[in-house]
Amino acid sequence: MSNAPAAFATTLHIRDHCLCLHAQRAARALSRRFDEAFRPYGLTSGQFSLMNGLNRPEPPTIGAIASLLAMDRSTVTANLKPLERAGLVTVAVDPEDRRGRRVGLTDAGRDLLARATPVWISEHAAIEAELPVDADALRGGLRAVA
């Protein structure tokens, strides 16, 4: 095993070709853009995604939300706390499994989500229009990786 530093050419190749790096950079840029769009509503892009995931006929389990968002349960639980303090979500014991929790939107949460969704629609359409590639193909590729 060599202790020689990696060649700079390798560093440049990784910078230009690494899918993980490009996905991380794109995710950060998209998050910043949506964070700014949702700022008037007091939401972050992550909170919007979390609340959207809770917008179901029946309150989902924390595990179901974790799966949807590709997060671990403890991260979902931590992200729910500010929304719960703000009165936007409720966390209750799962009546079918007392060890689990179900999470639902409150009326205030549904109202905020309804007001923020047109912002998402507009911003999302603008981003798709700026893409130099087909958005459906991009989504498909990202789903395949996920």
Side-chain angles (χ1 to χ4, degrees):
M1 184 167 183
S2 171
N3 287 334
F8 186 59
T10 302
T11 298
L12 294 176
H13 177 80
I14 291 169
R15 178 199 67 192
D16 296 340
H17 295 89
C18 179
L19 293 173
C20 185
L21 173 62
H22 288 282
Q24 289 169 333
R25 291 179 70 196
R28 289 182 190 114
L30 288 169
S31 290
R32 282 191 301 272
R33 188 163 172 174
F34 279 103
D35 284 349
E36 188 59 34
F38 292 134
R39 190 176 317 282
Y41 299 90
L43 287 176
T44 66
S45 59
Q47 289 170 328
F48 178 83
S49 294
L50 179 54
M51 290 176 66
N52 196 62
L54 298 174
N55 191 30
R56 303 177 185 198
E58 296 296 322
T61 64
I62 289 177
I65 295 303
S67 178
L68 171 72
L69 299 176
M71 302 168 100
D72 59 60
R73 286 181 176 94
S74 62
T75 302
V76 171
T77 299
N79 287 327
L80 286 169
K81 291 194 183 304
L83 297 174
E84 188 177 21
R85 282 192 300 272
L88 301 172
V89 304
T90 59
V91 180
V93 172
D94 185 344
E96 296 173 19
D97 179 358
R98 308 236 3 113
R99 297 169 295 170
R101 300 289 178 265
R102 296 230 171 223
V103 187
L105 293 172
T106 63
D107 288 343
R110 279 187 289 280
D111 178 64
L112 180 58
L113 186 61
R115 289 185 290 120
T117 296
V119 171
W120 178 88
I121 291 168
S122 174
E123 195 66 24
H124 194 267
I127 290 167
E128 281 199 7
E130 296 167 13
L131 289 175
V133 297
D134 177 65
D136 287 330
L138 178 58
R139 268 188 290 279
L142 292 171
R143 279 191 205 105
V145 171

